[in-house]
Structures are given as structure tokens and as C-alpha cells.
Amino acid sequence: PRAMSRACSPRAAPELVLRVTGLAKSYVPPSGRHRRERAVVAVEEVDLEVHRGETLALVGESGAGKSTVLMEIVSLTAPETGTVEILGQDAARLTRRTARLLRGAVQIVPQDPMSSLDPRMPVGDIVAEPLYARRVPRDVVAARVPRLLGQVGLAAADAERYPHQFSGGQRQRIAIARALAVEPALLLLDEPVSALDVSVQAQILDLLLRLKRELGPAYLLVSHDLAVVRQIADRVSVMYAGRTVETGPVAEVFDAPRHPYARALLSAVPLPDPVAERTRRRIVLPGDPPSGVPVTAGCRFLARCPVAALLTPGRRTRCETEIPRATQVTVAGTHTVACHFPHGGMPWQHIRTDRGTSGRPWNQPPDRPPVH
Ligand SMILES: Nc1ncnc2c1ncn2[C@@H]1O[C@H](COP(=O)(O)OP(=O)(O)OP(=O)(O)O)[C@@H](O)[C@H]1O
Ligand code: SF4
Ligand SMILES: [Mg+2]
């Protein structure tokens, strides 16, 4: 047990803090007729690895299944399909003792900070709760809470106040302090700044970077802001309709994405160089993002894929009948793509593009007529 608690602290963690393979998750309605048939497949096949101290960004359109992946990881239960390993421990085979230790090793800052903070609890209790859950003695908790509040830029006296008395950015600081209370080896961050004003976003991102330097946890970060991803992530994993389609070092994937969906997605990122930015073309995908996993025999991206549209019928059959598996595309073996035709040389000049700044931001759901 002592070795286990050491392994669960960030600095002594093994090289791989998280390994997810072939993860699937569907939502089955709790009751009603034909509930199995009405199940929504939210995640179909996701593979992820997070190394000690690194930041892996998880990106993809709204509804791709990103939050579901994070919730599956933090649940520490056996997934429907696939495996989740935290610090080398298979979540499906935990003893009660190991489960308790691992529960501290992985913490989440959920997508909506307001709903995750109990409005009836003073901030001090909110931050202390995970410590009490791990049976940390009261006097230790009493000493640690003011320190945690200080680490996230709040005052010790804030412990007496309630969540509604804080601004959005401050509430996010509270959620971060709570998640860091038990010194996790891995912090799951679901859109940590998307609900905040731009100026506050920068402050929270700075805070996350500083806390990482000081405390050393790895981050698994969901963000639709690709400029932020480029700035703070080491590696990036792109999801489409519940599947991992491309994973690799940020610089490599951003500069030379191979999967047609990743190419379209990343064509929406503004370029730092003003001259290049003026001529940047954005790849426009036909159709709307799917909600859940589309029902086809082959590649889930086929209906919107600009590459498949240009293939000869013979080659296209492969996309129609066979789900593409992740394959290495570089000698280093750190960049994987799940596409039958991932290589350059495609006639991208024939693919419909648009001026960089026009069109709907890629992560936004399609416009719906107002409901009266
Ligand atoms: N509790 C639920 N019950 C039924 N379906 C759900 C539930 N939660 C999510 N889904 C569905 O699962 C799919 C994936 O949802 P998820 O929230 O994981 O996506 P996401 O990538 O986090 O999207 P966003 O960027 O909008 O946060 C969607 O089709 C969604 O409608
Ligand atoms: S497998 Fe075919 S349809 Fe799927 S992304 Fe690749 S080219 Fe497009
Ligand atoms: Mg989400």
C-alpha cells in the first residue's frame, strides 16, 4: 500500500499515467420500451495515452464524445468495451483499497463549473471534500485549504463564502483548487475556459500552466480553442463521431495533419504570420456534425469526407466497407492516423475551401430555427 500511495503522487508516477484502449460507451435510456434499441453510442473506439507531466489535448466537434471519455476515465469502473489503465492499474480490476488511492490520482474539472459546485456549501468545504473522502485528518485539512486557495489566487478568507458570491473565473479557480487538493497525477480539464471572458481565459490558462510547473500533474485537456491547444499542449488527439482519428505531437499534427477531418478542423486555426493568415483557406465540410455515431458499415466520416469524394469508385469501396484502424505514419512511431488514404498527394486544390474568417466556428452546433 505504501508503494501504491507513492505511485499515486505526481512526482513518483510511472511514465504512463493513463492508457485507454478501444473505449466504448453508449447511453441507454433508463426505462421505456425498446430501451436497448434507443441507446445512443457516444463513444465507439477511443485510444489515449498520457505520459507523466505532459498535456494531451482532446479535440473534436461538439457531440464527438469528449466529455463522455473524461467521465468514463474518472468513473474508475470497468468500461463497456476496452480498457482504462491509470498508473498501470486496470480500472476493471481494482481492489477497494487501490480504487480509493486511484480516486485521488485522477481528478476532473467538469465542463460546467457552476453545476459542479454545491451552492449550499462554503468554498472551504467544497475544496476540503475530496480530502475528507480520503480520510485526511481534520487538522491537516484545516491547514491545507488556505494553502490551496492561495495557490489558485484566492484569499484564505474566501473559504467562508459561497459559490454564487464569486465571478465565473473565480469559480473556476475554486473548481481547480478542489481538484488539486489530493495532489492528482492526472487532471482532466473539460473546456476549462470556454465559459469565461477572453481576458479571464488568459488568467486561468496562466494559472493552469503555473500549477503544472509547481505541482507536476499531467493534464488531459478538452478544448475547442485550437489556438490554446497549440499554445499549451504537448500532444493532441482528434476525435470524430466517437472515434480517435489522429494523434501526435502538437507541432506535427497542426503543421501536417493527415486525416481528412483533422485537416478540415485545423484549417480553421488562425495562423500567427499575418501574410500567411491573409491567404489561409478554410476547408468547408458538407453536412452537419453528427450527434453520436452515424450508422454506416465503413468509415464514420465517409459522408463528409472531401478525400473520399475524389477517389475512384474502386478505392472508395474500402471507405464504404471497412472501418479504418489507427496506423503509424512516421518513423518515430508517435503519430497515428485512422484513415485508408492518409497520405499527402491528394488533390486538395479541388476541395471546397473558404476564406479563413468566414463561416461558422467549427465547434458550434448548426443554427437551429428559434423555438417559440
Ligand atoms: N447523459 C446522456 N444521455 C444520452 N446521450 C448523451 C448523454 N450525454 C451525452 N450524450 C450524447 O453522447 C454524444 C457525445 O456527447 P459528449 O457530451 O460526450 O460530447 P462532447 O464531445 O463533449 O461535446 P461538446 O463539445 O458539446 O461538449 C452526443 O451525441 C450526446 O448527445
Ligand atoms: S477512410 Fe476514406 S472516408 Fe474515411 S477519412 Fe479516410 S479517405 Fe475519408
Ligand atoms: Mg463536452
Side-chain angles (χ1 to χ4, degrees):
R2 175 135 358 118
M4 187 64 213
S5 32
R6 239 184 293 132
C8 287
S9 82
R11 302 220 183 265
E15 225 17 75
L16 218 50
V17 290
L18 174 73
R19 181 153 182 265
V20 172
T21 56
L23 179 71
K25 162 79 185 173
S26 28
Y27 292 103
V28 183
S31 59
R33 292 210 306 162
H34 309 296
R35 47 189 280 275
R36 294 259 155 223
E37 289 78 356
R38 288 191 286 123
V40 177
V41 181
V43 172
E44 195 182 42
E45 191 168 350
V46 161
D47 302 314
L48 295 173
E49 282 185 356
V50 181
H51 302 89
R52 177 160 48 139
E54 80 169 348
T55 298
L56 174 73
L58 187 58
V59 303
E61 276 162 318
S62 183
K66 307 176 297 292
S67 297
T68 304
V69 169
L70 297 196
M71 295 317 287
E72 283 298 288
I73 294 168
V74 81
S75 78
L76 288 188
T77 53
E80 215 169 272
T81 313
T83 58
V84 174
E85 281 170 34
I86 292 155
L87 298 169
Q89 305 281 326
D90 186 340
R93 273 178 251 171
L94 298 178
T95 62
R96 270 174 57 187
R97 188 182 190 93
T98 327
R100 190 159 57 79
L101 290 166
L102 283 186
R103 208 153 278 139
V106 188
Q107 293 290 305
I108 187 165
V109 176
Q111 189 157 1
D112 176 2
M114 204 46 210
S115 68
S116 70
L117 303 178
D118 187 336
R120 293 157 308 175
M121 264 165 100
V123 165
D125 289 356
I126 291 176
V127 173
E129 203 180 34
L131 293 165
Y132 286 132
R134 291 189 81 203
R135 299 186 208 154
V136 175
R138 276 190 177 272
D139 53 331
V140 178
V141 176
R144 203 182 287 176
V145 167
R147 208 179 70 224
L148 281 160
L149 291 174
Q151 274 175 327
V152 300
L154 295 170
D158 288 333
E160 310 298 322
R161 300 166 69 203
Y162 289 82
H164 73 266
Q165 295 174 283
F166 293 87
S167 68
Q170 286 170 325
R171 281 201 292 266
Q172 198 60 306
R173 288 173 194 268
I174 297 165
I176 292 168
R178 175 189 160 92
L180 288 175
V182 288
E183 300 179 352
L186 174 65
L187 191 59
L188 311 177
L189 296 154
D190 198 347
E191 303 269 14
V193 297
S194 65
L196 307 173
D197 290 345
V198 177
S199 59
V200 183
Q201 287 188 3
Q203 291 165 14
I204 298 292
L205 288 171
D206 283 347
L207 172 70
L208 288 170
L209 289 172
R210 177 167 63 73
L211 290 170
K212 188 188 181 86
R213 274 197 310 277
E214 289 171 4
L215 307 171
Y219 289 163
L220 173 51
L221 164 80
V222 169
S223 177
H224 70 264
D225 188 333
L226 296 169
V228 164
V229 168
R230 172 150 223 169
Q231 190 195 331
I232 75 171
D234 302 301
R235 293 190 306 120
V236 58
S237 188
V238 183
M239 276 182 78
Y240 184 79
R243 302 186 75 90
T244 305
V245 296
E246 181 156 358
T247 304
V250 160
E252 229 173 86
V253 175
F254 273 60
D255 291 344
R258 306 287 193 102
H259 191 282
Y261 173 68
R263 290 186 81 141
L265 182 65
L266 293 165
S267 74
V269 187
L271 298 169
D273 172 22
V275 178
E277 172 61 16
R278 263 199 299 281
T279 53
R280 177 169 66 89
R281 308 290 297 186
R282 194 171 140 273
I283 298 165
V284 183
L285 294 177
D288 288 328
S291 181
V293 174
V295 187
T296 62
C299 178
R300 277 34 180 159
F301 188 52
L302 177 62
R304 300 173 75 200
C305 181
V307 169
L310 298 170
L311 293 172
T312 59
R315 299 179 90 196
R316 201 181 139 91
T317 308
R318 203 159 163 222
C319 305
E320 288 161 354
T321 55
E322 194 188 320
I323 295 179
R325 302 278 154 210
T327 46
Q328 300 285 353
V329 292
T330 55
V331 183
T334 53
H335 189 165
T336 58
V337 178
C339 168
H340 297 311
F341 304 98
H343 296 289
M346 278 295 153
W348 283 91
Q349 67 274 24
H350 298 308
I351 287 167
R352 205 185 130 210
T353 58
D354 220 339
R355 280 276 168 218
T357 48
S358 63
R360 191 172 61 224
W362 64 270
N363 193 46
Q364 300 301 307
D367 299 330
R368 300 254 179 261
V371 180
H372 294 290

